[in-house]
Amino acid sequence: MKYNTQKEKLQMPEYGRGIQDMIAYATALPSKEERQQCAESIFRIMSSMQPQMRELPDYRHRIWDHIAFISGYQLDIDYPCEITHLGAEAPKPEPIKYPMKDIGQRQYGYLIEESLRQLAEMPEGEERDVMLTLTANQMKQTLFNWNRDAMDDTKVASDISRYTKGRVSLDLSTFHFAPVQTLPRQDAGCGKKRKKK
């Protein structure tokens, strides 16, 4: 038995190996008339496989482009339209560089650390108190999600003081954290008793 990994790579996986084999067969036919008839049959099969393409104004052209592409542009027939070389008009985009940020503690992430930097620069007042409340609650939620054993009110307060270099402090005697939101665990049925048949 021959595995798929040992077979020729699929040029367009959405059509499957059967279509690719048919196009290879058509390409190898000796007479142009036979190749033409075979290609037109393959066209009808491919258009029935992708019915959503019929809504596109140039769907016939696209399918002929796909046939030519799958054959490696080796299928010598009289195409009913001018064939566009796929990929020639749209070069591959350059990979996007991931912006690497220097994060002190990964469990908090860049946005919380940026919020704490802004808190350190803000003057005392209602706006800073609101931002401190939001940031502290998010820090506690993040610690809970990261490691429930590490979640501690005093840790959040000490981290706020450390990140802001002592400019902002959280008074735990008066500050009340919002309840931590727990998400249901997804254990894929582990621990559930199976019903006896």
Side-chain angles (χ1 to χ4, degrees):
M1 186 169 95
K2 200 171 185 182
Y3 293 100
N4 280 337
T5 52
Q6 297 169 313
K7 294 178 183 176
E8 188 182 347
K9 181 187 171 191
L10 285 174
Q11 296 301 318
M12 296 189 79
E14 58 267 37
Y15 289 112
R17 189 163 301 281
I19 291 291
Q20 185 161 310
D21 290 345
M22 286 183 213
I23 293 172
Y25 172 79
T27 305
L29 287 171
S31 77
K32 191 168 188 177
E33 188 181 337
E34 287 178 300
R35 290 194 298 271
Q36 189 74 41
Q37 286 178 352
C38 194
E40 286 170 7
S41 298
I42 293 167
F43 171 85
R44 287 192 290 276
I45 294 167
M46 287 171 74
S47 59
S48 67
M49 286 176 70
Q50 304 276 343
Q52 70 278 6
M53 281 186 72
R54 291 182 186 177
E55 297 172 15
L56 301 171
D58 60 342
Y59 89 94
R60 296 175 67 81
H61 191 173
R62 283 179 185 233
I63 291 176
W64 282 115
D65 283 345
H66 293 170
I67 289 171
F69 175 75
I70 292 170
S71 75
Y73 302 102
Q74 300 300 310
L75 181 58
D76 180 23
I77 59 168
D78 293 325
Y79 289 96
C81 53
E82 190 177 335
I83 295 302
T84 307
H85 280 252
L86 299 181
E89 72 284 351
K92 244 185 180 175
E94 291 292 321
I96 298 171
K97 289 185 178 176
Y98 189 78
M100 296 303 291
K101 309 260 188 219
D102 187 25
I103 301 170
Q105 291 191 6
R106 292 221 170 260
Q107 71 266 26
Y108 290 132
Y110 176 75
L111 293 177
I112 287 181
E113 291 188 1
E114 184 59 32
S115 297
L116 290 166
R117 279 191 281 275
Q118 288 181 18
L119 266 172
E121 303 298 322
M122 291 174 78
E124 287 188 30
E126 188 179 344
E127 189 179 352
R128 187 174 95 165
D129 292 344
V130 169
M131 189 164 176
L132 176 60
T133 301
L134 292 171
T135 305
N137 281 315
Q138 185 58 48
M139 288 171 75
K140 185 167 180 179
Q141 181 71 49
T142 303
L143 282 176
F144 177 79
N145 293 341
W146 182 269
N147 181 0
R148 295 178 185 192
D149 296 332
M151 186 191 69
D152 183 27
D153 296 353
T154 55
K155 175 162 178 47
V156 173
S158 74
D159 285 345
I160 288 172
S161 179
R162 183 170 51 81
Y163 271 106
T164 61
K165 296 183 172 67
R167 294 182 196 144
V168 180
S169 59
L170 191 67
D171 186 359
L172 293 176
S173 62
T174 58
F175 186 83
H176 299 289
F177 284 96
V180 172
Q181 295 180 0
T182 58
L183 297 172
R185 292 186 67 180
Q186 296 181 353
D187 293 336
C190 292
K192 291 182 181 176
K193 290 182 180 177
R194 293 187 181 184
K195 291 181 180 177
K196 292 182 180 177
K197 292 184 178 178

